[in-house]
Structures are given as structure tokens and as C-alpha cells.
Amino acid sequence: MKRFRTLCKRMTILSMASMLSFSLAACVDSSSPQESASTTEDGKTVITMGRVTAANPKLPEGDTYENNAYTRLVDEKLDVKIVNQFEAEGEDYDRQVALAIASGELPDMMRVNSKEELKELVENDLIADLTDVYKERASDNIKEIYDSYGGRSLADATFDDRLMAIPATNGANAPNMVWIRQDWIDKLGLELDKDGDSLITLEELENTAKAFIENDPGASGNPVGIPFAHWLNAGDYGGSALTMSSVAGVFNAHPRHYIEDENGNITYGSTTEGTKKALGVLADLFDKGIIDPQFGTRTWDDIMALLTNGQTGIVTGPWHIPDWGLSAVREMDKNAEFVAYTLEGDNGKANVFRENPTGSFIVVRKDYAHPELAIKILNLFYDELGNATDLETDYPEIAKYNELSVDGSTRPFNIEVYKSTSTLDDFSDLILPAVNGETSIEDITKAGIKNDAKTILEYIENPENAETSAWAKYHSRMKGIGLIEKLTTEDTFNWTTPVYYGTTATMEKKGANLLKLEEEDFIKIVTGTEPLDYFDTFVSKWKKQGGDEILAEIEAELAEQQ
Amino acid sequence: MVESKSISARIGRIVIHTIVITLGLICLLPLWNIVATSFSSSEAVTANAVGLIPVNFTTETYKMIMEDAQFWRSFGISVQRVFLSLIINMVLIVLMAYPLSKSTRVFKGRNIYMNLLIFSMLFSGGMIPTYLVVKNLNLLNTIWSLVLPGAVQVFSVILIMNFFIGVPKSLEEAAIMDGANPLQILVKVFIPISLPALATVALFSIVGNWNDFFSGLIYMTKVSNYPLMTYIQSLSINIEEMLKSGANANSLENMMEVSNKNLNAAKIVVSIIPLLVIYPLLQKYFIHGIVVGSVKE
Amino acid sequence: MKVQTAKTASWTNAKTRKQEKKWNTANSVYHLMMLPGMIFLLIFSYIPMFGIIMAFQDYIPAKGMLGSEFVGLEHFIYMFQLPDIGQVFRNTMVIAFGKILLGTFGAIIFSILLNEIRLKFLKKSIQTVVYLPHFLSWVVLAAVVVNMFSLDGIVNQILSFFGLENLNFLGSNSLFQPLLIGTDVWKEFGFNSIVYLAAITAVDPGLHEAASIDGANWWKRVWHITLPSMLPIILLLAILSLPNILNAGFDQVYNLYTPMVYETGDILDTYVYRIGLLGREYSFGTAVGIFKSIIGMILIISANEMAKKYTDRKLF
């Protein structure tokens, strides 16, 4: 069998080489990585991998992506040696994957970042069927995690009833929030959210922004109102900082998402009446000077500067924005404090959309001798380690990594696999009781969560002198997730589940053009270059230039699935 | 040049000096700003408070670079690459430019070569086929993958060829009389007389190889093999693109830790220093360039 | 000089036979000299050109170039059917042409002016300084440009100081193209002037002296001596930059534009890039690249022929 495989590979290489010309064929060395034996000299199984890295992995001196506490753990527990065929991040990783596919030398296991790429691999019969190994080897806990998505997650990786990949999970279901400087609210004696349901109205938002502009509580001399990003809408919740997502939510509109309207027809969120109303609100606010007058040309860095300079104290964003965005404000101003609200919908609810449950996938090369190892790694990292009760004793090296907050990308699979509600559960079951003193921090079994709880307490005990990271954790957890928890408990959410997250053929061809149209026209409407009714022109242009085709394709694809 | 004593000439001189110095200052500003940024605290940089004077002066960034092993490893790879490329490029440039500077009467087939060169400058097979060739030659993750694909600098060959054409025929003929063969003529006559032009294309080769980051991204599959500019590029992250196309809490957090703008500014400053050192070395060739004699046909 | 030419001619005639043999050996030496370079060109330029067939396929990496479906000219037709393609072409050419034209002028004028500076130290320092911006990538420079040209940036502060109306350079469709061209000239003129400086040093100072003695002023000397002697190199560089007429500078535009200025700022490369982000459109990208190459080839060949016709000198 192995001989046959080697022969096949030689043939492929030979044919490719002869295609390249004879001069090159002579140079082809037959000892390419895949030719090498899949075991090391000391009998360990080798897995070649494509690894998604992070720019700042924070690995301790001497450790690398190929040799670190996690790979050593795999070595020790599974007798497996991980060899990286390529390491890269972001776009560069996607390019390396494409090059690997093009050259016909896939690593044994790798991450693919889109459903389209996965589809391509499946259709061309390049990756292994994991149905059986998943059924036989996946631990109960892992199965339970996937089941918490009601089958949506595994379905994404399933083709013709065969599971072709391990899907990463993405349970980020939360409202886009409005983050406001609490210290400024206090300073000016403003009153917000009188009924205490953590929802504020558009009018309250406008009045607060107005008060900030008139009184300049940041003493910047040049207050600017609410800044928005010129792209106005992002593809998902994680990227929703500075978008109009929360304003659209007021009218139960979800731009950039494909949803079902009240008649059961599939529509594009950016073309709905609700989005028009939201744009109308923004245009009005821009006209009144409540929105940053330089909206449209501000870059991300500009807006961060506005925040840190005290020129603005209101931004929209996801629950985690304090961790990576707002923390800069606190670096400049020790007294800075934020509060998070969600805008109240015209139906009195917080209108939110559900996130795509799957982001990326782990695939195993077809004919790889040990596909079960993928599931074993899955069990090891997302069940055994994830649920380990005493990390310090059982996995001292990993415990040290947690302390150093080494990036998760250093694990063999750079994916997250957790229950759909885990962020919220961890908060309400573990963090909140500990912070409130109902339980002891030491009782928290999950290492990462324990760290979070500790840092939050550090901040609460001494807000003045706490580290910025503690300030950030406090805000993202207690204010951000706290808001989600409250709205969930009080049943304030009105969920919309988009019907389609993928990319159709027409989207690939015409999507860029349609997006350009959308971005251009939305800015024109908000800045008043075009009247609000121009929105209808936009909608008809959108439909004509490919939108109708896209909707038909989605409908056909969904019909096929049922 | 003869000194001109008239007042108008003197005014002219002042005007020229003013213009040239102003242009120099305008070009200095961005780099000055980056140097100031590299010596400022990261909060000041985030607040966009740094102009031409460092705010909250710190040398922390440079200390961090000194300790950044990968930075210096990449630095070394870049130096190696520039050195190898320079040798190969220059040898091939003069070797090709000389025969091409002959007329078709003298060098039969000259036009075929020329057309092949021009065609290769205009058309390229693209990233994937070139990658396949480099991979099949087993050059991935070697310094040669950065050097060999750019071995022939067509633009420079054409430039030098044109300088060679301008070399007075009498010089060559004299050498032929002395019984020199083409290679000797090239080395003894053409190269010495074209030093300013050769210094120029040498500079192009050095600058081009030092600045190129893309081939590192394709042919090096591990960060530890990246040349310097590829390494620096991998640290400059486009948050806007990330937000637009979708992001999660972890990736955003990690990215923010990297987007240390004062540190990145310091890295840029250090990465430019070698080019600042090289330039004056070559500069003397094109300021005191050996003057081509007045002998023209 | 005439005498010398005649002398050379007679020498050539006398030695024709001996020379003939010499030329023959020389001819093979010339081929040998070309050989190493041509081998590199074959391996790294010509062999990968089989990738051009991707433009006529729906290339899918997993299927490879042999297995992907052929679609003929579909990608080219598709390119011309894109709704904004006319606008995008116009933007690309206006921006690229502006950059080539003003960039060339800027570099020539600067090199002539710099050549007049006699303080060696000053001359060297300025030359070094103006070449610096070339080394800063647009990712870095864009931040500087945005700071300078935003509504509260230094440029508008200067405008206000002189009582002029503030201008929204980054958000105005009429100002964005001049901004792109201007900042690009600023970034590159110093580096581009290097070749011209090398050309100026090749001018015989004797000519200038003779002209001065004849009473020619500075302007006349530049016009009649410096510029004519630079002309071949100016023409050569101008012709070699022609294929760039459809390359308007992706990095610069990408880092400076916003949807507000798509109308005048969106160029072919940014447009293709955005299409590529959604689908991994290798084939489409290749097709656009080939289109650019063909336009470039037509331009460069006709320019070369024109140069031959009017200046009696082919450049390659």
C-alpha cells in the first residue's frame, strides 16, 4: 500500500516535472516532505501540519510553534511528532494553503478558513472522511459540545452525510453595544436608562452625545460626537466595532446578512425597510452634528485617537472591545470608565442576529494513515485539557503557559471548540458568583476563567491602581458579558437567525461590486450627498446588478438541503 | 563651471538653493516623524500626539529590538540575500548588456534575445506557477528562493545596454587593435567608463532586494526564515481589513498587542539604516562619475 | 572629430578580412555571454508562463492547471462587463499617467537643480534625504499623509492661516486624484532622480565652459547642453514606464481610499483585489494581468518604433 502511494506520488511529481520541462525534471529531488516516512526513527507517528500562527504568540524563550508545551503534550500522550509543513497567519496562511493544494502536497492536517475552500477539497476528493473516526473516537463531552449547536455546526462540515472536517465552533451570540464614558455621564450629571433595563433609546443616545459635544467633558477643546467606521457594516459580530449594527437593530434590521422576511422570502438585510430607517436616523444625526463631521474619511487609528484624546466618549462595538480597543483610553486617562448599553428596538426588544456557528475547519489529507489522530487531538485539547480540574498538578507546563498567557494558536489545532452558551455560562456560573463572593475563586476549575475572575477582583478592589489589563477584563466581562447576561435573564432579546452564511457563485463574481455599491451609497445617504429616498435607487441597483441572482441561488441551495 | 558674477545669477543661485533645501526638508519630514514616533510612549502614539518631537521620550523600543532574536535573524537573512543578489545581478547585467549593445550586424541573434527580455519584463506566469518551479527545484526555505528568481534584472540590463551604446567606438576599436577579446574589452573598457551607471543599477539591486517582502511570504514557510522586510510586514496588521472581513475576541486581542506602533516605527528606522550606509558609498560614483570623453562620432 | 571618423573608416576597410574572423569568434562569445542570463530567464520567467493558461480556465488549485475547466475568453468578457469598469479604467489611467508625467518632470528638474549645488556636503546630504521616502512603505506613509491632509491636519491649518477655505482632500472626489499623484511624486522623485544624476555627470564639463565663454546664461546651457545630453535616458525611462499605465499604485490607493472617493480613486488593482477577497479568483486575476501586459506591450513597442522614427535611435 505504502509502496503504491509512493509510486503514485512519484508519478505525480514526474508528470508535473515533465510539464515543467526536462531541464527541471533532472533537478527534482525525490525526498520531498511527503516522501519521508510517516514515522520518526524512534517509532513516533509524524503528522505534517499547516499551522495558523499569531504575530505575537508569547511563547517562552526557546519554544516554537513546532516544539512547545502543547506539541510536547501530544508527543507524550499520543506518541505523535508534529512537523509543520507551513506556518503563516491571516491572508498569508490562505495563500500557503492554496499553494499547497496547487502543488499537490497537502499537509496531513491543516485548518481551512472557509466553507468554499472545504467544498473544493471535498469535491476534488483530497481529504479524508471523518464520519467513522468521529463516531467511534470522539469523547462524549466533545459530542455534547457539538450537539449544543443543534446539529448546525457539524452540518456545515457534512457533505452527502459524510463528516469531512472538524468544524470550529463560534458561539458569539450577543448584541452590538453602545459603549459610553461612565465618568463623563457622572461628571455632567446625566441620567440614562431610567427604567434600568439596560436598553437606551435613540433619543437618550442623541442627548448624551449632544451633552458631550456641548460640555466637552474630556477637555479636548474639539469634541466630535459619535464616530463611525466608513464601512458602516461588518461581516460578523466580532468585527462590528464602530458599525451601525446597533442602530439597525432598533428597526430589527441586520445589514450584510441574508434573512427571511415576514413572508418567508429570503432578503438581503441591507436592502430592507428597517435598514432604510436606520440610515435615515444616521443621516439626521449627521446633519445635526451628533455624528463625527469627518465621518467617511476617518481611519481606525483616527478614531482610536479621538477616543484617547477625550474628543469622543461614545462608540459602538462588541462585548470584547474593552480588551483590545477601549483599553487605550484607560492608558491615557486613569479615570476613564465605560458603561455598555444596547439600543432599544421600536418593538421594545433588543434585536440581534445569530452568528455563523462555524468559522473554520480542520481537515485531514485523504489517504493519511491515521485520521483517528485528529479526533484524539480534539479530545485531548478540548475535552481533557478544557475540563481538567487541576492543571497545576496534572499539566504543570500548560499551567505555566496559561500564566504567561501564551496564545492559543500554539496549540496544534488553532480553533475553538466550545458549547454555544459557554461564554455566558462561564460568566454566570463561575465568574459572577466568585466576584460576588458567593464562591471562592479557588473553586473555579477552568484555568482561564479562574484567571479572569482573579483579574476582575483585582480591579474591583483597587480600581485606581489596577493594571490596564484588569480594567479591560473588568469592563468586557462585568459590563459587556454582564449586559448579555442581564438581557438573557430578563428575556429582552429578539433573535434573528440568518438563513445563509456562505458564498454563492454570483457572490464570488459580483459580490465585490455589490459591496462597493452598498458602501458608497450608504455613505452618500448618511452624509446627505443623496436624500434618504435614494435608498430605493440603491435597492433596485443592487437587485439588478446581481442581487436577484444571489437570492435565487440561496433559495435553490436551501431548497436542496431540505 | 565658470563663476558668474552678475546679480541675477546670484539671485538665481539663492533661488535654486532655497528650492532644493525645501524639497529636502519636505522629504525628511515623514522619516523624522517616524523617528520621533519610535522614541515616544505608545500611549502618545495612539493618541496621535507625536509630530516632529518625541512625546514622553523613551528608548524602550530600541531595547526591545536589541532583544528580538527574530529581528536580527531576519536582518542577517536580508543582508545575505542582498549580497548574493548583488553579485549575481551585476554579473548578469554586464554580461548581457554588452553583447546586446552591439548591432545585429555585429551580433547575430541580438534582436531575438532583446525581444525575449522585453517579453519577460511584460508578461509573467503569476504566483502559483513560479512557486511550483521554485518548489520543484527544492529551493523553498532556502536563501536561493529569494535570489535566483530575480537573477535577471531586465530593466537594469536595458539601462546599462544604453550606456554601453553611448561609449565611444574609438575606445573599443583601440582595444581590438591591441588584441583584446570581447570579455577583456568589457572588463577593461566598458565597465570602468560606465561606473556611474553601474553604481545606479547596483543601488537598484540592493534597494529592490532589501525592500521586497512578498517573495519571502511565498517561498519561506516559516517565520524563522523570513527576511527582514517580510518579518516587518508580518507585524503590520491591517485592523480595518480584519474587522470588515470578520474577527473574534482572541485574534483582535493578539493583534492589538502586536500593533505596537512605536516599536514598529523603531523597526522601520533600524531597517533603513543599512540603506543609509550603502548610499553614500555608491554616491561618490555618480557624483564624481568618470566623465565620458568628448569623442563622439 | 570628422577627421577621426574618416580615419576609423579607412582602418576598418583595411582590416576587413582579419576582422571578419574576429567578429565570428566574437559572435559566439556574445552568445556565451548571454547564456547564463537566458537560462535563469527560461527557468524563472518562461517556464512559469504556462500559468497564463489559467486566464482561459476556471482555475481551481485542487484540480490543477491540467484539470481545471477551460472557459475561453469568459474572464476577459466578464472584466469588460463589470458595471464600473469604465470608471475604474479612467481612474487608473489618469492617476498612472499623472504619476509618470509629473514624476518624470519632478525628477529631471530636481536633478538639474541639485547639480547646481556646489557645496559637496550639502549636495550629498540633500541627495540622501530625498531618496529616503522611497523606503517607507505606503502602509506607514499613509498614516502620515492622512494626518497631514485631514480636515484638522497641518495642510488645512496652513490654508486657514492664509484665510483660505478648508479642503477635504481625502473625502473629495475632485481632490483625491491630485492628492494621490502629488504624494507619489513626493515619495519617488528623489529616488527617480538617481538615474538622471548619473546621466548629468556624464556630460562633458568642457561643453559648459565653452558655452559660458560664449556668453550663454545658465538657462541656455541647461536647455542646449544638459537636457539634450539627458534626452536618450529620459526617453528610455519614459518608454520603459509606459507599461505601467495600468498600474496606478495599489499600495498607495489601498491605504488611502475610502468608499467616499471610490468614484475617482478606485483603480483596476484595488478593484480586482476586492473581487479576489470574496472568491479566490486566480483566473480572473491572471486575465486582468494579461490584459495589462498586452496593453503594455503595444505601448512599449509603438513607443520604441516612434523613437526610432523621430530620433533615429531605437532604445532596445
Side-chain angles (χ1 to χ4, degrees):
Chain A
M1 184 64 206
K2 199 175 143 250
R3 265 198 156 169
F4 176 64
R5 224 183 68 209
T6 320
L7 184 72
C8 282
K9 250 168 237 146
R10 288 233 169 96
M11 293 295 284
T12 341
I13 291 172
L14 259 180
S15 58
M16 193 183 294
S18 58
M19 188 173 74
L20 293 182
S21 90
F22 296 108
S23 64
L24 275 177
C27 305
V28 174
D29 182 354
S30 53
S31 68
S32 57
Q34 290 212 348
E35 294 286 308
S36 62
S38 59
T39 47
T40 58
E41 280 153 21
D42 49 350
K44 291 185 189 299
T45 314
V46 170
I47 309 180
T48 58
M49 281 198 181
R51 302 276 297 271
V52 181
T53 60
N56 182 19
K58 287 176 281 185
L59 283 163
E61 186 78 38
D63 279 5
T64 64
Y65 268 94
E66 217 162 33
N67 181 9
N68 59 48
Y70 295 119
T71 59
R72 288 191 287 270
L73 180 73
V74 172
D75 189 331
E76 183 197 323
K77 292 256 170 180
L78 306 174
D79 217 18
V80 160
K81 186 172 167 14
I82 291 172
V83 175
N84 294 346
Q85 187 171 322
F86 52 85
E87 306 168 352
E89 61 169 313
E91 230 180 57
D92 305 330
Y93 177 81
D94 294 336
R95 191 181 303 115
Q96 286 293 341
V97 171
L99 291 172
I101 299 175
S103 67
E105 287 190 12
L106 289 188
D108 297 334
M109 295 177 195
M110 66 174 178
R111 185 173 117 178
V112 291
N113 286 331
S114 70
K115 179 88 184 261
E116 287 63 46
E117 234 169 331
L118 177 63
K119 223 193 270 174
E120 184 188 314
L121 290 168
V122 172
E123 280 168 5
N124 292 288
D125 201 20
L126 293 169
I127 52 174
D129 180 349
L130 302 177
T131 320
D132 299 332
V133 283
Y134 176 78
K135 260 188 211 147
E136 285 159 24
R137 308 272 183 156
S139 71
D140 292 343
N141 280 328
I142 293 288
K143 286 181 177 160
E144 203 181 304
I145 289 174
Y146 282 116
D147 289 344
S148 76
Y149 290 86
R152 288 202 302 154
S153 184
L154 286 181
D156 252 352
T158 305
F159 295 79
D160 291 332
D161 292 327
R162 308 308 292 174
L163 183 69
M164 301 305 291
I166 301 171
T169 63
N170 178 11
N173 291 316
N176 184 265
M177 302 171 181
V178 182
W179 292 86
I180 308 178
R181 283 286 286 262
Q182 179 69 52
D183 50 327
W184 292 5
I185 296 177
D186 298 341
K187 194 173 176 183
L188 301 178
L190 304 175
E191 241 188 296
L192 269 165
D193 186 31
K194 282 175 206 142
D195 51 1
D197 61 357
S198 284
L199 299 181
I200 57 168
T201 61
L202 277 171
E203 203 188 340
E204 281 177 293
L205 178 69
E206 183 181 338
N207 290 338
T208 313
K210 210 163 156 189
F212 283 0
I213 295 170
E214 281 164 5
N215 301 304
D216 191 14
S220 64
N222 184 18
V224 293
I226 311 172
F228 280 99
H230 60 68
W231 51 92
L232 271 175
N233 287 295
D236 68 357
Y237 177 75
S240 68
L242 309 179
T243 63
M244 62 178 278
S245 175
S246 42
V247 179
V250 172
F251 306 100
N252 198 14
H254 305 286
R256 298 279 299 274
H257 289 278
Y258 292 91
I259 46 177
E260 211 165 68
D261 67 9
E262 55 274 17
N263 306 322
N265 296 321
I266 291 163
T267 57
Y268 180 51
S270 300
T271 62
T272 56
E273 264 315 288
T275 300
K276 181 178 179 180
K277 283 184 197 159
L279 286 172
V281 168
L282 291 177
D284 180 48
L285 290 178
F286 183 84
D287 190 43
K288 289 179 185 160
I290 302 291
I291 287 179
D292 170 21
Q294 288 196 54
F295 162 71
T297 57
R298 291 265 198 221
T299 62
W300 169 265
D301 289 341
D302 290 344
I303 295 174
M304 288 317 287
L306 293 179
L307 274 165
T308 47
N309 287 331
Q311 285 174 267
T312 184
I314 306 177
V315 282
T316 64
W319 64 262
H320 44 73
I321 194 173
D323 288 332
W324 50 270
L326 302 180
S327 50
V329 181
R330 147 85 179 201
E331 297 262 337
M332 281 299 268
D333 184 349
K334 282 272 171 228
N335 301 316
E337 257 184 79
F338 279 87
V339 59
Y341 293 110
T342 292
L343 286 174
E344 183 173 338
D346 51 10
N347 51 2
K349 292 276 188 180
N351 298 309
V352 278
F353 65 85
R354 270 189 218 282
E355 186 81 320
N356 184 358
T358 321
S360 49
F361 307 87
I362 298 288
V363 297
V364 177
R365 177 171 62 84
K366 181 149 185 120
D367 298 332
Y368 178 62
H370 306 284
E372 76 282 357
L373 284 176
I375 307 296
K376 282 186 179 170
I377 293 175
L378 187 70
N379 290 340
L380 177 60
F381 281 89
Y382 303 94
D383 178 6
E384 267 187 61
L385 267 188
N387 295 316
T389 47
D390 192 355
L391 221 51
E392 273 89 358
T393 327
D394 300 341
Y395 308 96
E397 223 190 345
I398 308 253
K400 201 181 116 210
Y401 265 38
N402 279 336
E403 234 165 79
L404 294 168
S405 54
V406 173
D407 195 73
S409 62
T410 54
R411 294 168 302 173
F413 295 164
N414 183 1
I415 56 169
E416 298 299 338
V417 180
Y418 49 69
K419 280 192 193 171
S420 64
T421 52
S422 74
T423 317
L424 203 51
D425 292 347
D426 288 344
F427 177 75
S428 41
D429 300 347
L430 303 174
I431 296 180
L432 207 52
V435 169
N436 293 340
E438 291 156 21
T439 55
S440 159
I441 285 190
E442 295 311 317
D443 295 343
I444 300 179
T445 52
K446 290 188 180 176
I449 304 300
K450 194 183 199 168
N451 270 349
D452 288 353
K454 261 188 202 156
T455 346
I456 291 167
L457 270 178
E458 254 169 59
Y459 176 78
I460 293 176
E461 277 157 18
N462 191 354
E464 293 276 301
N465 300 317
E467 297 266 331
T468 302
S469 56
W471 179 95
K473 272 273 160 9
Y474 170 81
H475 276 87
S476 60
R477 271 39 180 203
M478 301 307 285
K479 304 282 175 179
I481 303 182
L483 175 64
I484 308 173
E485 206 252 345
K486 184 173 180 206
L487 297 178
T488 311
T489 337
E490 293 175 2
D491 198 20
T492 323
F493 284 128
N494 171 38
W495 292 101
T496 298
T497 306
V499 290
Y500 189 79
Y501 297 103
T503 310
T504 68
T506 309
M507 270 190 231
E508 275 189 18
K509 289 213 156 219
K510 302 186 174 167
N513 196 56
L514 290 174
L515 191 58
K516 172 180 176 177
L517 180 74
E518 179 179 328
E519 288 181 335
E520 247 181 336
D521 285 355
F522 279 19
I523 283 198
K524 281 183 189 159
I525 292 170
V526 173
T527 54
T529 319
E530 298 282 355
L532 183 56
D533 282 335
Y534 183 73
F535 184 81
D536 303 329
T537 318
F538 156 71
V539 174
S540 62
K541 275 195 286 184
W542 186 86
K543 289 188 165 164
K544 222 181 285 162
Q545 292 182 15
D548 277 338
E549 287 168 64
I550 290 172
L551 294 179
E553 279 169 347
I554 294 176
E555 229 153 302
E557 210 175 312
L558 292 179
E560 204 178 296
Q561 277 169 24
Q562 277 155 14
Chain B
M1 267 155 268
V2 174
E3 187 71 47
S4 173
K5 296 266 191 276
S6 69
I7 295 171
S8 69
R10 210 167 278 174
I11 293 173
R13 275 205 180 282
I14 294 168
V15 171
I16 289 174
H17 277 76
T18 321
I19 294 174
V20 171
I21 291 171
T22 316
L23 285 174
L25 285 179
I26 290 175
C27 288
L28 193 59
L29 289 179
L31 191 76
W32 194 330
N33 172 261
I34 288 160
V35 173
T37 302
S38 72
F39 283 111
S40 301
S41 70
S42 68
E43 296 93 72
V45 178
T46 312
N48 212 350
V50 184
L52 298 177
I53 300 156
V55 179
N56 305 335
F57 186 87
T58 169
T59 52
E60 192 53 38
T61 50
Y62 289 92
K63 275 185 206 137
M64 283 166 84
I65 290 181
M66 293 311 290
E67 288 160 12
D68 185 346
Q70 183 56 47
F71 183 90
W72 296 108
R73 186 157 51 228
S74 294
F75 195 100
I77 293 171
S78 278
V79 170
Q80 206 184 341
R81 170 195 185 164
V82 163
F83 187 71
L84 290 172
S85 294
L86 182 65
I87 294 171
I88 294 180
N89 285 347
M90 292 312 287
V91 168
L92 291 180
I93 285 169
V94 292
L95 274 185
M96 296 176 89
Y98 177 62
L100 288 173
S101 70
K102 304 293 161 214
S103 68
T104 34
R105 194 173 48 82
V106 178
F107 175 28
K108 292 183 189 73
R110 181 249 178 215
N111 281 357
I112 296 170
Y113 286 119
M114 199 65 233
N115 289 336
L116 281 172
L117 279 179
I118 297 282
F119 193 79
S120 77
M121 187 173 70
L122 291 169
F123 288 87
S124 103
M127 176 187 75
I128 292 178
T130 319
Y131 169 86
L132 292 179
V133 169
V134 172
K135 184 182 163 63
N136 281 301
L137 290 169
N138 270 331
L139 297 179
L140 287 191
N141 285 313
T142 68
I143 190 85
W144 300 109
S145 67
L146 305 175
V147 173
L148 297 184
V152 181
Q153 296 290 318
V154 178
F155 181 89
S156 298
V157 171
I158 296 176
L159 202 65
I160 294 302
M161 177 194 90
N162 273 275
F163 269 87
F164 283 176
I165 289 176
V167 171
K169 291 270 179 293
S170 55
L171 291 175
E172 187 177 8
E173 280 155 3
I176 293 174
M177 287 254 282
D178 293 344
N181 65 36
L183 204 61
Q184 285 166 326
I185 296 172
L186 173 61
V187 174
K188 293 202 176 131
V189 178
F190 281 78
I191 291 180
I193 212 167
S194 312
L195 277 184
L198 289 173
T200 311
V201 296
L203 187 70
F204 287 166
S205 163
I206 294 170
V207 168
N209 276 294
W210 186 265
N211 271 0
D212 169 55
F213 67 89
F214 195 67
S215 41
L217 279 181
I218 299 172
Y219 304 132
M220 298 300 181
T221 62
K222 280 173 194 165
V223 178
S224 54
N225 291 337
Y226 278 180
L228 188 61
M229 285 304 171
T230 310
Y231 174 63
I232 289 181
Q233 172 76 16
S234 75
L235 295 175
S236 81
I237 292 149
N238 190 336
I239 177 156
E240 300 196 351
E241 211 39 72
M242 201 164 164
L243 289 172
K244 273 192 264 185
S245 59
N248 62 47
N250 281 342
S251 57
L252 285 165
E253 223 175 303
N254 191 278
M255 184 212 54
M256 269 337 217
E257 282 159 4
V258 180
S259 99
N260 209 337
K261 277 193 242 148
N262 56 349
L263 180 58
N264 288 347
K267 285 180 178 155
I268 290 165
V269 172
V270 177
S271 74
I272 288 180
I273 289 174
L275 296 169
L276 278 179
V277 175
I278 292 278
Y279 192 51
L281 292 179
L282 289 168
Q283 205 177 19
K284 67 172 185 225
Y285 290 106
F286 34 89
I287 283 197
H288 312 288
I290 294 166
V291 174
V292 176
S294 58
V295 191
K296 294 227 163 119
E297 287 170 69
Chain C
M1 268 181 239
K2 242 190 172 156
V3 180
Q4 200 180 14
T5 319
K7 225 176 165 183
T8 319
S10 66
W11 175 81
T12 317
N13 286 334
K15 308 255 170 172
T16 311
R17 269 177 128 210
K18 205 178 169 192
Q19 227 183 309
E20 196 92 305
K21 205 181 152 208
K22 266 231 156 83
W23 285 140
N24 276 337
T25 45
N27 217 3
S28 42
V29 175
Y30 292 155
H31 284 292
L32 262 178
M33 285 171 131
M34 294 300 295
L35 189 66
M38 294 316 285
I39 289 175
F40 279 114
L41 218 55
L42 171 75
I43 296 177
F44 294 106
S45 231
Y46 279 93
I47 291 176
M49 274 189 208
F50 71 85
I52 285 175
I53 58 172
M54 282 181 359
F56 306 97
Q57 292 181 322
D58 250 339
Y59 176 71
I60 292 168
K63 291 198 166 103
M65 257 159 256
L66 297 178
S68 293
E69 188 195 342
F70 274 89
V71 294
L73 292 174
E74 195 186 278
H75 295 294
F76 294 91
I77 295 165
Y78 168 64
M79 175 170 73
F80 285 106
Q81 283 173 345
L82 284 167
D84 296 328
I85 196 71
Q87 188 193 65
V88 168
F89 265 123
R90 204 164 45 246
N91 294 343
T92 310
M93 290 204 276
V94 169
I95 295 168
F97 187 70
K99 284 179 179 177
I100 294 175
L101 195 70
L102 292 178
T104 307
F105 268 114
I108 293 170
I109 293 169
F110 175 76
S111 54
I112 291 174
L113 292 181
L114 186 71
N115 200 43
E116 291 303 311
I117 306 281
R118 268 176 256 161
L119 276 172
K120 284 234 172 67
F121 169 74
L122 186 67
K123 188 174 180 177
K124 277 192 164 183
S125 322
I126 288 178
Q127 207 187 346
T128 312
V129 160
V130 295
Y131 125 122
L132 285 176
H134 175 78
F135 302 109
L136 302 173
S137 67
W138 272 113
V139 182
V140 176
L141 270 184
V144 179
V145 170
V146 168
N147 278 341
M148 284 171 65
F149 287 92
S150 68
L151 276 177
D152 32 25
I154 179 117
V155 174
N156 273 315
Q157 282 170 22
I158 293 171
L159 289 178
S160 301
F161 180 78
F162 287 108
L164 295 165
E165 199 187 336
N166 278 9
L167 298 170
N168 188 2
F169 290 94
L170 295 155
S172 145
N173 275 312
S174 54
L175 292 172
F176 191 65
Q177 287 181 347
L179 178 78
L180 289 177
I181 295 170
T183 52
D184 184 74
V185 171
W186 161 64
K187 180 175 187 284
E188 300 296 343
F189 83 89
F191 191 74
N192 290 340
S193 66
I194 290 174
V195 186
Y196 297 118
L197 277 167
I200 290 180
T201 50
V203 178
D204 178 14
L207 288 175
H208 276 279
E209 271 164 44
S212 289
I213 291 161
D214 290 350
N217 61 19
W218 177 74
W219 178 243
K220 274 196 175 140
R221 277 182 279 133
V222 166
W223 190 252
H224 292 291
I225 299 169
T226 317
L227 274 177
S229 61
M230 286 169 76
L231 196 63
I233 196 79
I234 293 173
L235 268 179
L236 174 68
L237 291 188
I239 290 175
L240 288 179
S241 63
L242 277 178
N244 284 328
I245 196 73
L246 291 176
N247 294 327
F250 173 81
D251 285 335
Q252 183 195 22
V253 176
Y254 182 72
N255 283 298
L256 285 173
Y257 77 161
T258 64
M260 283 187 98
V261 288
Y262 274 169
E263 205 178 307
T264 57
D266 203 9
I267 58 170
L268 202 54
D269 288 346
T270 50
Y271 197 68
V272 171
Y273 176 77
R274 292 204 308 275
I275 289 176
L277 272 186
L278 284 165
R280 286 156 306 123
E281 297 274 314
Y282 301 107
S283 287
F284 181 64
T286 312
V288 173
I290 288 178
F291 177 76
K292 281 165 42 172
S293 299
I294 290 173
I295 298 289
M297 189 170 72
I298 293 171
L299 285 174
I300 202 167
I301 288 174
S302 35
N304 195 35
E305 292 305 317
M306 296 246 287
K308 194 190 171 192
K309 198 170 164 192
Y310 291 108
T311 66
D312 201 30
R313 185 144 176 238
K314 257 176 128 164
L315 291 154
F316 47 81

